[in-house]
Amino acid sequence: MKKVSILGSTGSIGTQTLDIIRRNGENFSVCALTAGSNTSLLEEQAREFKPEIVAVASEDAANDLKVRLADTAIRVLSGEEGLCEAAAIEEADITLGAIVGIAGLKPVLSAIDAGKDIALANKETLVTAGDIVMARAKEKNVKILPVDSEHSAIFQCLEGRGELKKIYLTASGGPFFGKKRAELENVTAKDALKHPTWSMGAKITIDSASLANKGLEVIEATHLFGVTADKIQVVVHRQSIVHSMVEFVDGAIIAQLGSADMRTPISVALNYPVRSEISGDSLDIFGTGNLTFEKPDTDTFRMLELAFSASKMGGTMPTVLNGANEEAVSAFLNGKCRFLDIADMVEGAMENHKIKENPSLSDIFCADSEAREFVKVKFKL
Ligand code: NDP
């Protein structure tokens, strides 16, 4: 039986992970659960899965949770320290990283330091500190198993198959596919939250609408698969059936297909190296219709090119791209800026930044704060 610590258990990935565990009780048990502030759902999850520890981001949330769980023996922790302790809990065999944003970085590093294999959904961890995370994972001999559907697909396509020439990273195109800049002037957060194929948390859904998500995934892939960004071609594939493809040096292209259900990549990571049955409908291969592949419109969706540039520049630049994007997306979700401002804010923060090569963890957090501050001041947020 694998014991799992789940970081971000109240989110979209977290709840789907618990759904897999609920249906495979004989294979998994839960030893830790964490959330930001959703104490009512965390209480419900804790009563059902009976972890040893639960952790939340703030002291206030922890005080509320302590009252809610007073009749149980579950330990309630708080803050960065509490999240890191939950991530590295001794009992865990594997830690699933599904906190959103750079807030997930330190807990994932704690789990690596404690020798836990990582099922990684939190792409911002690799975007901001990929070199440090991958080096530490190598040093501690822990596996980083991708949960992002595209990276899971690439991982599955690559397994033991030889030298790769190119990665085709697929993108649904999001809710604004086919629109030009002028048509995006006045779109609202409500419009951007209507993703055509995937049901996900708010931040990644906005990132999908701006193609920032694909940009972050390009950077994530460079770290996971040890390639430079110029070996990655983003392909718009509206049907979200091919989850990515790999071309090998002999010209063969291997693709991974499936329905748009995150439970498959989560299950691949949790069960690795074996596969386990998932209930639900499998892909109706005759019902898929035509599969289409197109080049992305980078004039309209500028975040993609900005991410390629940040990846090439390296050092602290991907952290700046990520920090400015997190701040801008939060502003957009709160109605404080327009959709098209997101890329302008990120570009401004990148132009303003002096890159630090081979950054330490503290350089990374400095670059993140600088980018967020730049966005707040420049755009009067
Ligand atoms: P959600 O917003 O649905 O969930 C985020 C989780 O993180 C929640 O449990 C939330 O707690 C917790 N959280 C938020 N802020 C903090 C904080 N400061 N400290 C501690 N915990 C915090 O996000 P998703 O599940 O959609 O995404 C999670 C990660 O997985 C992201 O990095 C995303 O890019 C990646 N991913 C997601 C996919 C998806 O299908 N959803 C697909 C591929 C990757 P609370 O509920 O209390 O706010």
Side-chain angles (χ1 to χ4, degrees):
M1 179 177 284
K2 269 191 192 171
K3 296 188 183 121
V4 192
S5 166
I6 303 175
L7 311 176
S9 64
T10 50
S12 162
I13 292 290
T15 50
Q16 292 180 84
T17 303
L18 286 173
D19 186 48
I20 291 174
I21 292 178
R22 184 180 288 117
R23 291 159 192 258
N24 293 276
E26 67 288 359
N27 295 335
F28 297 106
S29 69
V30 174
C31 47
L33 293 171
T34 83
S37 58
N38 188 347
T39 50
S40 64
L41 181 53
L42 191 55
E43 177 196 356
E44 216 177 279
Q45 294 177 340
R47 290 191 183 279
E48 179 180 355
F49 292 95
K50 303 185 174 37
E52 304 227 342
I53 333 184
V54 290
V56 279
S58 72
E59 190 73 36
D60 284 353
N63 289 338
D64 176 37
L65 198 56
K66 276 179 191 159
V67 174
R68 290 172 178 272
L69 294 173
D71 61 322
T72 72
I74 299 169
R75 280 173 66 214
V76 178
L77 307 176
S78 67
E80 197 171 87
E81 220 173 280
L83 295 169
C84 289
E85 191 174 333
I89 183 171
E90 197 180 340
E91 289 75 7
D93 299 304
I94 185 164
T95 296
L96 180 117
I99 291 175
V100 61
I102 197 173
L105 172 58
K106 281 195 180 163
V108 165
L109 280 173
S110 288
I112 294 172
D113 286 342
K116 313 298 176 192
D117 284 338
I118 308 290
L120 190 65
N122 173 231
K123 63 194 78 184
E124 295 90 345
T125 287
L126 288 179
V127 171
T128 55
D131 289 340
I132 293 175
V133 170
M134 296 310 284
R136 227 181 270 182
K138 195 171 172 199
E139 184 193 320
K140 296 283 174 183
N141 199 23
V142 308
K143 295 183 195 70
I144 306 284
L145 299 157
V147 167
D148 225 337
S149 61
E150 295 80 359
H151 303 74
S152 174
I154 295 161
F155 178 77
Q156 293 173 64
C157 292
L158 277 174
E159 272 206 299
R161 288 207 175 82
E163 200 183 330
L164 82 89
K165 185 170 166 194
K166 198 178 219 174
I167 288 172
Y168 290 97
L169 189 71
T170 54
S172 71
F176 302 144
F177 172 77
K179 294 204 186 305
K180 295 292 168 199
R181 280 181 72 79
E183 297 169 87
L184 297 176
E185 291 280 349
N186 296 314
V187 292
T188 63
K190 201 171 161 211
D191 301 324
L193 285 168
K194 282 184 207 140
H195 197 279
T197 46
W198 294 97
S199 163
M200 309 178 287
K203 194 255 176 185
I204 184 177
T205 308
I206 301 301
D207 283 349
S208 297
S210 69
L211 285 202
N213 183 49
K214 216 41 58 182
L216 299 177
E217 287 180 5
V218 167
I219 302 173
E220 181 185 13
T222 62
H223 293 291
L224 282 170
F225 306 114
V227 296
T228 46
D230 57 3
K231 289 214 171 182
I232 302 173
Q233 173 67 56
V234 172
V235 181
V236 176
H237 167 56
R238 296 290 289 157
Q239 301 78 25
S240 294
I241 285 171
V242 174
H243 296 310
S244 278
M245 302 175 261
V246 171
E247 181 177 353
F248 291 90
V249 282
D250 56 8
I253 297 180
I254 308 238
Q256 187 258 328
L257 283 68
S259 49
D261 182 349
M262 280 308 295
R263 291 178 314 147
T264 300
I266 295 169
S267 175
V268 169
L270 283 187
N271 286 293
Y272 186 81
V274 295
R275 285 183 183 266
S276 176
E277 200 172 319
I278 293 187
S279 60
D281 296 336
S282 40
L283 177 68
D284 172 11
I285 205 85
F286 299 108
T288 57
N290 291 334
L291 301 184
T292 56
F293 302 99
E294 297 167 59
K295 287 199 171 146
D297 170 2
T298 48
D299 292 334
T300 305
F301 300 98
R302 295 174 53 237
M303 283 302 298
L304 188 56
E305 283 304 290
L306 289 171
F308 269 100
S309 301
S311 181
K312 278 177 204 144
M313 289 184 227
T316 38
M317 197 54 99
T319 308
V320 167
L321 170 105
N322 181 73
N325 182 58
E326 281 193 32
E327 206 57 51
V329 169
S330 160
F332 176 63
L333 281 168
N334 291 317
K336 291 186 180 160
C337 73
R338 298 171 324 138
F339 181 72
L340 293 174
D341 292 335
I342 297 173
D344 290 346
M345 291 188 193
V346 171
E347 188 175 37
M350 285 172 68
E351 281 171 1
N352 181 59
H353 181 62
K354 198 163 174 306
I355 296 176
K356 178 125 197 208
E357 306 289 349
N358 302 315
S360 65
L361 208 50
S362 104
D363 297 330
I364 283 164
F365 283 106
C366 274
D368 177 66
S369 303
E370 177 208 293
R372 288 170 189 271
E373 203 45 39
F374 176 87
V375 170
K376 281 189 204 152
V377 171
K378 183 91 182 160
F379 298 94
K380 299 184 181 67
L381 295 175

